[in-house]
């Protein structure tokens, strides 16, 4: 019997989009470990929670527009827009060197992740057959996570040996390289439209793709923890005497990279629901460990488990969203999922920063609270499965 050959996902277009995403994620993530201290040095310590919250606010607000533009103007232009915002912001941080100027830039910078990931996920779904979406999105997520791993480590090293301004310029350089790669990518949207302002007119039905709400709910609940981690881990690391505040992010992302080699394929083979449930259980364990840790080793163990949990959840949630989406509205579907993601991160960062107030003893309590959110997500998944069986 002749078997049909598997569709090759390792082609030039997929390779380019992965490389562009790696550079893009490194561009804005290399700033994260140093921003809390940078804001404090300007006299804005009480606004630490806004570092991530403002970023995710505009990312979430821009999702319906990026989804609409992705489905009308094309995937590549929207991806380029996200990278261009990162490029510009890197040069503006040293110029707007007041607390208000910094917070304004965090608001502006958020548009980058509001545009690029939405269009990228739609692009990957266009060039990869349905039966391999989990694998492909897992591999793409691996590259994105690689950028998240090297970004903070590189960023902290640049700050340590050079200056914050050099770090901001390096962020712009990575974004520029991401843009240059996009110039060689072939557009996949067949019926493209020219830009006109009427495209930006968004109605209620353009904001949320109702069919993917189950994935969005789980995404929201599971990413609240990430907002808290981005806000608190730099100070938590410093409290434990860890000089490179990007080390936690590097360890958890490496763990995420390793598991993504099998997590995407596992969701294709065993189903999204089963894999997501496993990821949620590990997410709970990781957050409990991070909160309980009072040594370098304990924190790194927590980072590793957290990386495994997110490495399992991310490709499965992305693929589940694409599974439930309408073929002509993939941009809107991915935008819906990312709105939930940004809302979770933003809420987690805002609440963590508000409660934390530079009191180290409060960090474990915040971690345990975010762990409870993962339990809510798991309960929702189990109740949803039960309702479908009855």
């Amino acid at each position: 019997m002749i078997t049909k050959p598997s569709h090759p996902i390792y082609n030039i277009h997929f390779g380019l989009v992965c490389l562009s995403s790696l550079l893009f994620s490194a561009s804005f993530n290399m700033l994260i470990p140093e921003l809390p201290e940078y804001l404090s040095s300007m006299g804005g310590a009480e606004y630490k929670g806004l570092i991530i919250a403002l970023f995710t606010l505009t990312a979430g607000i821009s999702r319906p527009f990026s989804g609409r533009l992705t489905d009308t103007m094309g995937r590549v232009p929207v991806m380029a827009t996200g990278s261009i915002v990162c490029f510009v912001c890197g040069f503006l941080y040293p110029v707007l060197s007041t607390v208000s100027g910094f917070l304004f830039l965090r608001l502006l910078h958020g548009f980058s992740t509001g545009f690029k990931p939405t269009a990228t996920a739609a692009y990957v779904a266009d060039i990869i057959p349905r039966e391999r979406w989990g694998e492909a999105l897992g591999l793409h997520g691996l590259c994105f996570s690689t950028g998240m791993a090297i970004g903070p480590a590189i960023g902290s090293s640049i700050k340590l040996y050079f200056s914050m301004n050099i770090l901001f310029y390096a962020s712009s350089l990575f974004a520029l390289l991401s843009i240059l790669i996009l110039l060689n990518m072939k557009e996949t949207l067949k019926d493209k439209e020219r830009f006109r302002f009427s495209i930006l007119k968004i109605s209620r039905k353009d904001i949320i793709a109702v069919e993917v709400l189950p994935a969005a709910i789980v995404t929201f609940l599971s990413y609240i923890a990430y907002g808290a981690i981005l806000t608190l881990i730099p100070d938590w690391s410093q409290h434990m005497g860890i000089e490179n505040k990007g080390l936690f992010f590097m360890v958890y992302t490496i763990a995420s990279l390793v598991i993504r080699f099998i997590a995407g394929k596992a969701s294709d083979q065993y189903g999204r629901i089963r894999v997501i449930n496993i990821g949620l259980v590990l997410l709970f364990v990781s957050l409990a460990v991070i909160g309980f840790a009072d040594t370098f080793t304990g924190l790194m163990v927590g980072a590793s488990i957290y990386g495994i949990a997110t490495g399992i959840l991310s490709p499965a949630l992305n693929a589940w969203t694409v599974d439930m989406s309408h073929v002509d509205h993939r941009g809107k579907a991915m935008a819906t999922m990312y709105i939930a993601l940004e809302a979770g991160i933003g809420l987690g960062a805002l609440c963590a920063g508000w409660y934390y107030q530079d009191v180290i003893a409060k960090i474990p309590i915040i971690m345990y609270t975010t762990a409870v959110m993962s339990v809510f997500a798991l309960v929702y998944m189990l109740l949803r499965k039960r309702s479908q069986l009855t």
Side-chain angles (χ1 to χ4, degrees):
M1 183 178 70
I2 299 176
T3 59
K4 186 177 179 180
S6 179
H7 185 284
I9 66 173
Y10 303 100
N11 54 55
I12 185 63
H13 299 300
F14 184 66
L16 287 174
V17 76
C18 286
L19 180 57
S20 177
S21 290
L22 186 154
L23 292 166
F24 171 74
S25 66
S27 171
F28 68 87
N29 274 287
M30 66 170 52
L31 303 177
I32 298 299
E34 301 302 327
L35 291 183
E37 184 180 350
Y38 179 69
L39 182 58
S40 293
S41 70
M42 291 189 290
E46 66 270 29
Y47 300 113
K48 284 183 180 180
L50 295 179
I51 291 174
I52 304 301
L54 290 177
F55 187 92
T56 57
L57 175 63
T58 44
I61 291 173
S62 63
R63 294 292 183 187
F65 299 97
S66 65
R68 180 74 175 272
L69 292 171
T70 295
D71 290 334
T72 53
M73 290 185 60
R75 321 312 196 190
V76 176
V78 177
M79 285 191 284
T81 300
S83 294
I84 289 170
V85 171
C86 274
F87 173 73
V88 172
C89 285
F91 280 101
L92 290 179
Y93 277 111
V95 178
L96 301 179
S97 55
T98 63
V99 172
S100 58
F102 172 84
L103 295 178
F104 167 75
L105 278 178
R106 292 307 292 167
L107 200 63
L108 179 64
H109 207 160
F111 281 105
S112 61
T113 56
F115 276 75
K116 195 172 192 304
T118 301
T120 299
Y123 187 93
V124 171
D126 287 344
I127 63 175
I128 302 298
R130 183 186 184 93
E131 66 272 12
R132 300 189 72 183
W133 278 344
E135 179 184 358
L137 290 168
L139 288 171
H140 171 265
L142 187 151
C143 294
F144 194 91
S145 295
T146 299
M148 292 178 67
I150 65 174
I154 292 174
S156 289
S157 297
I158 292 174
K159 166 60 170 58
L160 190 63
Y161 294 106
F162 298 98
S163 67
M164 277 301 297
N165 285 353
I166 296 298
L167 173 56
F168 291 136
Y169 298 144
S171 173
S172 283
L173 175 61
F174 274 64
L176 177 62
L177 294 174
S178 175
I179 297 168
L180 294 176
I181 290 171
L182 293 174
L183 297 177
N184 295 309
M185 290 174 60
K186 182 180 178 182
E187 180 56 58
T188 57
L189 185 65
K190 295 180 180 179
D191 300 320
K192 294 183 293 182
E193 300 180 22
R194 284 181 172 273
F195 175 78
R196 60 186 187 279
F197 284 102
S198 60
I199 293 179
L200 298 178
K201 185 178 180 181
I202 301 295
S203 64
R204 192 184 312 173
K205 67 178 183 179
D206 295 318
I207 298 176
I208 299 295
V210 179
E211 65 272 16
V212 302
L213 277 179
I217 291 171
V218 176
T219 298
F220 170 75
L221 291 171
S222 59
Y223 273 88
I224 289 174
Y226 190 54
I229 283 173
L230 290 173
T231 303
L232 303 176
I233 288 300
D235 284 3
W236 197 222
S237 299
Q238 190 175 39
H239 170 71
M240 294 184 188
I242 303 172
E243 189 173 281
N244 190 325
K245 287 174 283 189
L247 189 59
F248 175 95
F249 299 97
M250 183 173 68
V251 170
Y252 104 73
T253 311
I254 290 174
S256 177
L257 296 179
V258 172
I259 199 65
R260 283 174 190 269
F261 281 109
I262 60 173
K265 284 187 177 181
S267 75
D268 287 335
Q269 184 174 355
Y270 300 109
R272 319 298 189 202
I273 308 301
R274 184 178 299 178
V275 172
I276 290 170
N277 288 343
I278 293 172
L280 290 172
V281 171
L282 289 174
L283 182 63
F284 171 82
V285 173
S286 69
L287 296 169
V289 171
I290 292 171
F292 185 76
D294 57 1
T295 64
F296 169 82
T297 301
L299 186 61
M300 292 305 108
V301 170
S304 299
I305 302 174
Y306 182 74
I308 293 172
T310 56
I312 291 172
L313 283 171
S314 180
L317 286 170
N318 274 271
W320 194 29
T321 302
V322 176
D323 288 344
M324 294 185 287
S325 67
H326 188 280
V327 66
D328 294 327
H329 300 290
R330 280 179 183 156
K332 182 170 72 170
M334 296 311 302
T336 299
M337 191 272 289
Y338 279 116
I339 287 172
L341 182 147
E342 303 293 357
I345 295 174
L347 181 64
L350 190 62
C351 292
W354 169 78
Y355 180 71
Y356 172 47
Q357 296 294 312
D358 279 351
V359 179
I360 290 293
K362 292 182 177 180
I363 290 181
I365 299 173
I366 297 172
M367 289 297 104
Y368 299 147
T369 303
T370 60
V372 173
M373 297 300 105
S374 64
V375 175
F376 288 162
L378 182 60
V379 169
Y380 170 77
M381 292 290 288
L382 295 175
L383 290 177
R384 183 176 180 275
K385 181 179 180 180
R386 184 178 178 181
S387 66
Q388 289 178 329
L389 293 175
T390 57

